[in-house]
Amino acid sequence: MIDDSEAGDVLLIEKMDRLTRLPWLEWKTLKARIMEKGLVIVVADQPMTHAVFSSGEQNSITLALTEFMLDLGAAMARDDYETRHKRQAQGIAKAKAEGKYRGRRVNASLHQDIRDQLSLGRSYSEIQQKLGCSRATIARVVKES
């Protein structure tokens, strides 16, 4: 998207965390690319970022506040993301300890279809297109075989 955009284009995002769940260094790199390209970030639920629609431009104060808000949103979104994953892992560990967790069930029918397609000499891309599965699933089936 960034490569196809031009300076002054608006990057409209629904909520802050839709753009900013990346680890901090990756977020800084993405933000730098967006700013370098001259894109204007507008967050639907943050009216302060809507100034570009009324005036056609943003002043330096609005830009600085938007940049601060994006960095703050990135840090909060990443922290929330990591906390949820830690809690999920804790829940899975507890369920395993209690014998309640068996993991995600294998789609035996899909795996058989993948094996059939592989035996016919089909490529991963052909199998993906035909069966609507991911390359990772195909690789998992190959590894299991």
Side-chain angles (χ1 to χ4, degrees), residues 87-121:
R87 289 183 181 149
Q88 180 184 28
Q90 289 168 344
I92 290 171
K94 180 181 176 188
K96 282 181 178 179
E98 295 172 358
K100 296 178 181 177
Y101 184 81
R102 293 173 181 37
R104 184 178 290 175
R105 300 199 192 288
V106 172
N107 183 336
S109 173
L110 174 62
H111 282 216
Q112 184 57 51
D113 290 345
I114 292 171
R115 282 190 290 277
D116 292 345
Q117 293 297 311
L118 288 166
S119 70
L120 294 172

Side-chain angles (χ1 to χ4, degrees), residues 21-93:
R21 289 184 187 157
L22 297 169
W24 186 250
L25 292 177
E26 290 177 34
W27 159 244
K28 296 302 276 184
T29 301
L30 175 62
K31 187 177 89 170
R33 286 189 64 210
I34 290 169
M35 297 303 176
E36 181 180 291
K37 191 71 173 198
L39 302 180
V40 178
I41 299 173
V42 175
V43 184
D45 67 350
Q46 298 294 325
M48 183 180 79
T49 65
H50 300 182
V52 70
F53 294 128
S54 58
S55 66
E57 60 183 51
Q58 291 182 313
N59 63 40
S60 58
I61 293 173
T62 303
L63 287 172
L65 287 172
T66 299
E67 188 171 337
F68 170 75
M69 187 175 59
L70 288 170
D71 285 341
L72 182 61
M76 291 172 61
R78 185 63 189 180
D79 182 60
D80 180 60
Y81 175 83
E82 289 174 355
T83 299
R84 279 184 284 128
H85 282 274
K86 283 179 192 172
R87 289 183 181 149
Q88 180 184 28
Q90 289 168 344
I92 290 171

